Amino acid sequence: MIGRLIAFSARNRLLVLLATLMLTGIGIWSLINTPLDALPDLSDTQVIVYTEYPGQAPQVVEDQVTYPLATALLAVPHAKVVRGFSNFAVSFVYVVFDDGTDLYWARSRVLEYLNFAAKRLPDGVTPTLGPDASGVGWVYEYVVLGAQRTLAELRSIQDWLVRYQLITAKGVAEVASVGGFERQYQVIVDPQKLQAFGIPLDKISDAIRASNQDVGGRTIELTETEYMIRGRGYLRGTDDLGAVVLKASPTGTPVLLHDVARIQLGPDERRGIAEMNGDGEVVGGIALKRDGADALNTIGNIKTKLEQLKPGLPDGVHVTPVYDRSELIGRAIHTLTRTLIEESLIVAAVCVLFLLHARSALVAILTLPIGVLIAFAGMHALGIGSNIMSLGGIAIALGAMVDAAIVMIENAHKHVERLKPGEPRGAALIAAATEVGPSLFFSLLVIVVSFLPVFALEDQEGRLFKPLAYTKTFAMAGGALLSVTLVPVLMLLFVRGRIIPEHRNPINRVLIWLYRPVIGAVLKAPVLTVLLAALALAATAWPVSRLGSEFMPALNEGTLLYMPVTLPGLSVTKAAELLQTQDRIIKSFPEVESVFGKAGRANTATDPAPVEMTETVINLKSESEWPAGMTIEKLQAEMDQALRLPGVSNAWTMPIKARIDMLATGIRTPVGVKVFGPDLHELERLATDVERVVHGIPGTTSAFAERLEGGHYIEIT
C-alpha cells in the first residue's frame, strides 16, 4: 500500500505539490493565529464563590457563611475539592472540578446550588461568583500615578475611568483595584443628640435611604406638548445629606440630619494597600485574563486601551506597568524559536556534509519547515497554544523527521551509482523510494506510538506534558506522510547532476575507518560486551538514587515574587510601614528595576490574602547589567538575608509558579502539611510544632504555620 502511494505521488507531481502548498498555507495561517504563552495553563477548572458580610469577625463569617456554602457545594457534580476561607468581613469558597470539566458548565451548576444555599445565609448576605479567569490569570499589573493628586483622587480615577476602559479589552475577565482610598459619605452620629430628640439609630439609615431616590409620575399635555413628570431626590453632596429630614418637633420644626450628626467625605475601611519602590503608597490595578484567552493578545489589547486612554486622563496622571507577562512570553518564545532555527540549520549542514550534494540535501531541508507547519495546523485544530512545552515537542521531533528523508536520499544515491552512463534516473529513484519507504513510514509511526502513554496522564501532569506529546505526534505524523508523498517528488526534481559515491566522501571514510575496528571487536567478544554494558547500567544506580525530583523544572520568569507573612492582628497602618521598609531595601539592590508591593487583598475574588500577607513583585534588570558572578539564586539569598525582620517569615517564588502552587495545594508553597481536628487551639499548637520541626529539615528555606487564632477583639457582652 505504501509502495503504491509512493508510485502514485511520483506520477502526480503537480497534485502532490499543490496539496503541499495548501498544507503549507494552512500551517502558516495556524502559526499566525495560535495563542502564545510562556507555559500551558496548569490550573484546574475552578469556580470561586465570593461573599461579603460587612463588619463580621472571621469566626462569625465561618459559621454563618463559609460553612453553609461549602457544605452545600460539596454536592455539585464533578466537584473534587471544596476549599473555604474566612477572613474579616469576607468569605471565599473555591470549588475545584474534575479535569476536563467545562468552566461555564461548572459555573452554571454552582449557580444552581447557590440558589438553595443562599436561603441558609443571614439576611442581606448575597454570594456572588468570581470572574471566569484561571488561577494564573494575573497577566498585567499597573499603578496610577499623579504628582499633584491624593490617593483618594487616584483611586477614583482608577475605579471610574481606567478600570472601565480596560474591562472592555478583548480577553479581559476582570480589572481589580488595590491601594489608595475609596471615598464615601460618612455620617457620624452623636448619641446624646439622638437621645435628646428621641430618634432611634435605625431611623437615620431609613431616612437617608428614603431621601436618596428619584421618582417618576405620568405624563401631562400642555399646549400641544407632552411633559414627563419626575421628582428629583438624589443626594449630591454633604449639604444634601445634612438637609435630610428625620422628624418634626412638637412645634413643627424639622429635625435635620446635621442637627444630630457630623457629615463628611472620608475613606472607606481598607483591607489592601499598595506601595512602589519604597517611595510610599500608590494606587494599583490588576488585569485578569479570561480563561482560554490568548495571553499575549489580551495584554496587547490592554496596552492598546491604555494608549487610547492617555489623552483622557487628568493632567499629570499617567499609568505605569509594574508586571507585564508579555515580556516573559516574548523571551521564552524567542529563545525557543532561536533554538529551533539553530537546530534546523545544523540539520541542514549535516545533510549537505554527508550527502555532498546540495540539491539532494534540499529534499531533506524543505521537509523540515513543512512538517513543522503541519504540526502547527494540528495544534490550532485542537486549541493548543504555542508555549515552551508545545514548541519543545517540535524541537524533539526535528531530528527524527528529517531522518526518513536522508535515508531515502542515500538509498536513491546508491541506486543512481549503479546506473549505466546516460540511463534515465526516474525509475531508479522511484524504486529506491519504494524499497525503503514502507519501513521508514512505519518506523516513524512507531515513534509516534511510543508517546501514547503520555496521553493517559491526568490533571496537572496531563496539562503540562500533553502539549509536548501532541506536537511531537503531529510533527512525526507529518514527517511520515511527507516521506512517502513529497520526498519522492522532490527527489525526482532535485536529485540531478553528478552524484559522489559514499566511499569517496571523506567524512564517511573517516567514520567508517573508526567504526569497523569497534564493531569487529565487540562481535569477537560478545559476552564481555554484554557484561560491560550491564556494569555500566549498574553503575548508574547510585547517582540515580541521589537525584531529586521535581514536578517541573524551575522557569526563570525574570521577575521575583516576595511573599512574607507576619502574625495575625497587624494593623493596616503598620502593614503599610512594613511594606515600604521592605520595598526600600529591595530597591537598593542594583539588579532591581522596580518593586511593587501589595499587603492584604485586591478587590477581586481571586485574592483572599489577609492584611498580614504581602506580595511584592520584583522586576529585575537584564542579566547583562548585573555585576559579574551574580546569579538569581545568589541575588535571592542576599535579599533574603537583608529582609530578615523580626516577626516576618520570608518566602520566595515567582509569579506564575506561585499561582500554580496555590492552585495545586491551596497554600502559597509547593509543599505543605495539613493538620485536621475539631479544636482550633490544639490545631494551632500542633501546626507550630510542625513548623519548628520542618525548619530543621535540610533544604528548607522557610517554614510558617498559618495562625488560626491570635486576632485581637474588643468584646461587648
Side-chain angles (χ1 to χ4, degrees), residues 57 125 129 170 232 282 286 342 348 373 388 490 496 545 595 634-635 657 691 716:
V125 176
L129 293 188
K170 185 178 180 181
R232 305 293 298 275
V282 293
I286 302 166
E342 291 171 353
L373 290 174
I388 290 176
L490 294 179
R496 300 172 182 270
S545 67
V595 184
K634 185 178 179 181
L635 175 63
K657 186 177 186 302
E691 174 189 331
I716 301 172

Side-chain angles (χ1 to χ4, degrees), residues 95 289 411 496 511 527 529 545 565 570 579 605 620 622:
V95 185
K289 174 182 73 72
N411 194 49
R496 300 172 182 270
L511 292 176
V527 176
T529 301
S545 67
V565 291
L570 187 71
L579 179 61
L620 303 176
S622 172

Side-chain angles (χ1 to χ4, degrees), residues 89-145:
V90 290
S91 164
F92 301 86
V93 178
Y94 293 78
V95 185
V96 182
F97 287 82
D98 292 332
D99 191 31
T101 305
D102 179 73
L103 174 63
Y104 295 99
W105 180 90
R107 289 172 68 87
S108 65
R109 296 288 81 77
V110 170
L111 276 176
E112 289 178 6
Y113 280 77
L114 280 182
N115 290 333
F116 165 74
K119 299 175 183 178
R120 302 165 58 187
L121 302 181
D123 292 339
V125 176
T126 305
T128 58
L129 293 188
D132 55 340
S134 68
V136 291
W138 291 29
V139 295
Y140 194 83
E141 299 177 36
Y142 60 90
V143 292
V144 182
L145 302 175

Side-chain angles (χ1 to χ4, degrees), residues 211-470:
S211 300
N212 186 36
Q213 57 181 331
D214 277 5
V215 295
R218 300 180 63 179
T219 62
I220 61 173
E221 185 177 336
L222 296 173
T223 63
E224 300 181 354
T225 303
E226 182 182 71
Y227 292 87
M228 290 175 283
I229 301 172
R230 64 177 179 178
R232 305 293 298 275
Y234 283 139
L235 302 175
R236 302 183 182 278
T238 54
D239 292 338
D240 289 350
L241 266 172
V244 170
V245 177
L246 300 178
K247 64 177 292 187
S249 67
T251 61
T253 304
V255 179
L256 305 181
L257 184 58
H258 65 69
D259 294 329
V260 298
R262 186 175 79 253
I263 302 164
Q264 63 185 26
L265 195 62
D268 192 5
E269 182 182 36
R270 299 197 295 169
R271 304 306 298 170
I273 54 177
E275 204 279 343
M276 187 171 180
N277 293 335
D279 296 330
E281 289 191 47
V282 293
V283 174
I286 302 166
L288 280 72
K289 174 182 73 72
R290 179 165 282 113
D291 185 66
D294 182 346
L296 199 60
N297 282 344
T298 300
I299 296 171
N301 296 335
I302 292 171
K303 292 179 178 179
T304 301
K305 288 290 183 181
L306 287 175
E307 286 296 322
Q308 296 172 355
L309 183 62
K310 276 184 179 179
L313 291 173
D315 292 339
V317 176
H318 61 278
V319 177
T320 301
V322 291
Y323 175 69
D324 182 355
R325 192 183 294 177
S326 65
E327 297 175 1
L328 168 63
I329 297 171
R331 288 196 304 270
I333 299 301
H334 175 265
T335 300
L336 205 51
T337 303
R338 187 186 65 209
T339 302
L340 286 173
I341 293 172
E342 291 171 353
E343 188 176 357
S344 300
L345 292 175
I346 292 171
V347 169
V350 169
C351 292
V352 173
L353 288 174
F354 280 88
L355 295 175
L356 283 184
H357 191 264
R359 282 181 291 186
S360 295
L362 275 177
V363 176
I365 294 168
L366 288 175
T367 58
L368 270 180
I370 298 172
V372 170
L373 290 174
I374 290 174
F376 271 102
M379 289 167 59
H380 189 272
L382 292 185
I384 300 172
S386 292
N387 51 62
I388 290 176
M389 298 304 294
S390 59
L391 295 182
I394 295 176
I396 294 172
L398 280 182
M401 283 170 58
V402 78
D403 186 55
I406 292 175
V407 171
M408 194 172 285
I409 294 166
E410 286 184 331
N411 194 49
H413 281 201
K414 287 292 185 183
H415 279 253
V416 171
E417 289 174 20
R418 292 193 287 266
L419 291 177
K420 296 177 182 179
E423 189 175 350
R425 296 180 176 181
L429 293 175
I430 295 173
T434 306
E435 182 179 13
V436 297
S439 300
L440 293 173
F441 179 81
F442 288 110
S443 67
L444 291 176
L445 289 187
V446 167
I447 298 175
V448 171
V449 172
S450 68
F451 266 72
L452 287 180
V454 179
F455 294 105
L457 294 175
E458 298 179 346
D459 298 329
Q460 281 197 339
E461 297 86 351
R463 288 188 288 273
L464 178 64
F465 291 107
K466 279 182 181 178
L468 183 147
Y470 272 118

Side-chain angles (χ1 to χ4, degrees), residues 636-703:
Q636 183 175 306
E638 291 182 2
M639 287 183 176
D640 186 72
Q641 189 64 35
L643 289 164
R644 292 193 178 276
L645 304 175
V648 178
S649 176
N650 293 339
W652 295 88
T653 181
M654 294 187 181
I656 297 177
K657 186 177 186 302
R659 303 295 169 194
I660 293 173
D661 289 341
M662 285 190 280
L663 280 169
T665 63
I667 55 179
R668 60 196 178 95
T669 54
V671 179
V673 178
K674 293 185 178 181
V675 185
F676 297 90
D679 188 343
L680 290 181
H681 180 73
E682 183 65 14
L683 285 176
E684 183 165 320
R685 187 190 66 79
L686 291 173
T688 307
D689 291 342
V690 171
E691 174 189 331
R692 186 168 52 255
V693 172
V694 171
H695 257 303
I697 297 176
T700 301
T701 57
S702 66

Side-chain angles (χ1 to χ4, degrees), residues 162-170 172-175 290 305:
V162 179
R163 184 166 66 96
Y164 286 139
Q165 288 295 317
L166 296 187
I167 199 69
T168 62
K170 185 178 180 181
V172 174
E174 183 184 37
V175 178
R290 179 165 282 113
K305 288 290 183 181

